[in-house]
Amino acid sequence: MTGHPQQFVIYKDKAGEFRWQLYAQNSKLIADSGEGYKNRSDCIHGARLVSSIAAGALMWDRSTQQWVE
Protein backbone atom coordinates (compact mmCIF):
# COMPACT_ATOMS: atom_id res chain seq x y z
CA MET A 1 0.00 0.00 0.00
CA THR A 2 2.94 2.34 0.26
CA GLY A 3 2.64 5.27 -2.10
CA HIS A 4 -1.09 4.83 -2.65
CA PRO A 5 -2.94 7.04 -0.17
CA GLN A 6 -6.71 7.18 -0.04
CA GLN A 7 -7.34 3.87 -1.67
CA PHE A 8 -9.88 1.07 -1.71
CA VAL A 9 -8.51 -2.42 -1.18
CA ILE A 10 -10.46 -5.45 -2.46
CA TYR A 11 -9.85 -8.81 -0.79
CA LYS A 12 -11.41 -12.22 -0.15
CA ASP A 13 -12.50 -13.02 3.40
CA LYS A 14 -12.36 -16.40 5.19
CA ALA A 15 -15.78 -17.31 3.77
CA GLY A 16 -14.47 -16.75 0.24
CA GLU A 17 -16.48 -13.58 -0.31
CA PHE A 18 -15.14 -10.30 -1.64
CA ARG A 19 -14.92 -7.22 0.58
CA TRP A 20 -13.50 -3.73 0.30
CA GLN A 21 -11.65 -1.50 2.74
CA LEU A 22 -11.01 2.22 2.41
CA TYR A 23 -7.73 3.64 3.70
CA ALA A 24 -6.98 7.29 4.48
CA GLN A 25 -3.93 9.19 3.33
CA ASN A 26 -2.15 8.20 6.56
CA SER A 27 -2.74 4.49 5.69
CA LYS A 28 -5.30 4.01 8.46
CA LEU A 29 -8.46 2.02 7.77
CA ILE A 30 -11.45 4.38 7.78
CA ALA A 31 -14.29 2.31 6.26
CA ASP A 32 -15.17 -1.18 5.09
CA SER A 33 -17.88 -2.89 3.07
CA GLY A 34 -19.63 -4.28 6.14
CA GLU A 35 -20.73 -7.29 4.10
CA GLY A 36 -19.24 -9.87 1.79
CA TYR A 37 -20.03 -10.08 -1.92
CA LYS A 38 -20.21 -13.33 -3.88
CA ASN A 39 -19.03 -11.59 -7.06
CA ARG A 40 -15.91 -9.43 -7.34
CA SER A 41 -17.76 -7.09 -9.72
CA ASP A 42 -20.48 -6.45 -7.10
CA CYS A 43 -17.80 -5.60 -4.53
CA ILE A 44 -16.14 -3.16 -6.93
CA HIS A 45 -19.53 -1.62 -7.68
CA GLY A 46 -20.16 -1.15 -3.93
CA ALA A 47 -16.82 0.56 -3.43
CA ARG A 48 -17.37 2.82 -6.43
CA LEU A 49 -20.85 3.70 -5.18
CA VAL A 50 -19.45 4.77 -1.79
CA SER A 51 -16.72 6.73 -3.53
CA SER A 52 -19.17 8.58 -5.76
CA ILE A 53 -21.62 9.64 -3.03
CA ALA A 54 -19.28 10.24 -0.07
CA ALA A 55 -18.07 13.69 -1.16
CA GLY A 56 -21.61 15.06 -1.33
CA ALA A 57 -23.02 13.27 1.71
CA LEU A 58 -24.64 15.30 4.46
CA MET A 59 -23.68 14.71 8.10
CA TRP A 60 -26.26 14.15 10.88
CA ASP A 61 -25.25 14.48 14.55
CA ARG A 62 -27.40 12.12 16.62
CA SER A 63 -26.28 13.71 19.89
CA THR A 64 -27.64 17.15 18.93
CA GLN A 65 -30.28 15.94 16.48
CA GLN A 66 -29.04 18.48 13.96
CA TRP A 67 -27.29 18.59 10.63
CA VAL A 68 -23.60 19.44 10.80
CA GLU A 69 -22.66 22.41 8.64
Side-chain angles (χ1 to χ4, degrees):
M1 275 193 353
T2 304
H4 299 284
Q6 300 174 4
Q7 69 177 352
F8 283 91
V9 174
I10 306 295
Y11 69 98
K12 265 191 173 182
D13 65 14
K14 291 179 183 178
E17 294 185 324
F18 293 95
R19 292 178 177 265
W20 59 261
Q21 294 176 319
L22 175 60
Y23 288 86
Q25 194 166 10
N26 63 2
S27 299
K28 294 201 183 241
L29 177 65
I30 58 173
D32 64 47
S33 57
E35 66 177 335
Y37 297 88
K38 300 273 185 214
N39 299 310
R40 182 177 177 270
S41 61
D42 292 335
C43 182
I44 291 170
H45 175 75
R48 286 189 172 146
L49 184 61
V50 169
S51 178
S52 70
I53 65 172
L58 301 174
M59 190 178 309
W60 178 255
D61 186 337
R62 285 186 181 174
S63 64
T64 63
Q65 294 294 298
Q66 295 180 340
W67 291 103
V68 176
E69 298 199 34

